[in-house]
Amino acid sequence: MTADRRSLPPRRDERAPREYPLEYDAFRQLNQQPYLRYARLRTGDPVRAARSVSQAFAALYARWPDTLRSPCPAAAAWEILHTTVGVEGQYGRNPEPQLPCVLTAAQADAVRLHHHLGLSVHKTAALMGTEEDSVRALLRSAARTAGGVCARASRRA
């Protein structure tokens, strides 16, 4: 009786087959927990958050070679996540403050990551695929925008 070659463990001189490329695995391991925290904040539901992050990683994997050739893979991945979570977040309650509606998407994401989730400017920039100075600028402009909206609202009250 001969054994099917595919069912045998790899020989020492062979590499074990990988389900995903090493770079993709590393990227996913590095970003999965912060992505889940972000998705949970935006959707207000752990099940929808997990589903949206899973869908985002599936979409990212489908485009992985193109993503690696892009100018900034982290930014490309963040855009996929942001869009996927936004679609999932449309269904059901959303406990996050509603003020980000006056902010740009990038401002709102910087505020969510840095202020709501407590991530450093460095980690926020890494997740969003941008420079730390850009995150600082987004946070400052978000504060000015939110401050202006709050000031106008209090004058009307």
Side-chain angles (χ1 to χ4, degrees):
M1 179 177 358
T2 62
D4 183 358
R5 176 80 176 121
R6 289 171 284 166
S7 66
L8 296 174
R11 295 189 322 238
R12 286 185 185 259
D13 60 339
E14 289 182 73
R15 291 177 47 169
R18 297 193 55 82
E19 183 176 350
Y20 298 115
L22 181 61
E23 298 86 359
Y24 174 83
D25 270 345
F27 184 87
R28 186 173 182 146
Q29 287 176 21
L30 180 67
N31 293 299
Q32 187 156 8
Q33 287 307 311
Y35 280 15
L36 281 168
R37 291 180 62 211
Y38 166 83
R40 173 81 191 271
L41 179 65
R42 287 205 46 208
T43 64
D45 179 68
V47 173
R48 288 195 333 261
R51 184 172 47 232
S52 65
V53 170
S54 179
Q55 290 169 353
F57 275 119
L60 179 62
Y61 179 69
R63 302 176 211 171
W64 189 245
D66 292 332
T67 300
L68 288 179
R69 287 189 294 273
S70 72
C72 184
W78 185 258
E79 183 60 34
I80 292 169
L81 176 72
H82 177 86
T83 301
T84 306
V85 171
V87 168
E88 192 67 37
Q90 293 174 356
Y91 307 107
R93 70 178 172 84
N94 190 347
E96 74 175 335
Q98 293 304 306
L99 187 58
C101 67
V102 300
L103 303 177
T104 67
Q107 287 172 323
D109 282 347
V111 168
R112 287 176 184 118
L113 293 170
H114 183 66
H115 292 299
H116 295 267
L117 298 181
L119 300 179
S120 69
V121 169
H122 174 76
K123 184 64 176 175
T124 298
L127 284 172
M128 292 177 68
T130 191
E131 301 294 324
E132 289 180 37
D133 287 341
S134 296
V135 169
R136 287 186 191 94
L138 288 168
L139 292 169
R140 282 192 304 271
S141 65
R144 282 192 307 271
T145 300
V149 169
C150 292
R152 284 191 300 273
S154 67
R155 281 194 298 259
R156 281 183 258 166

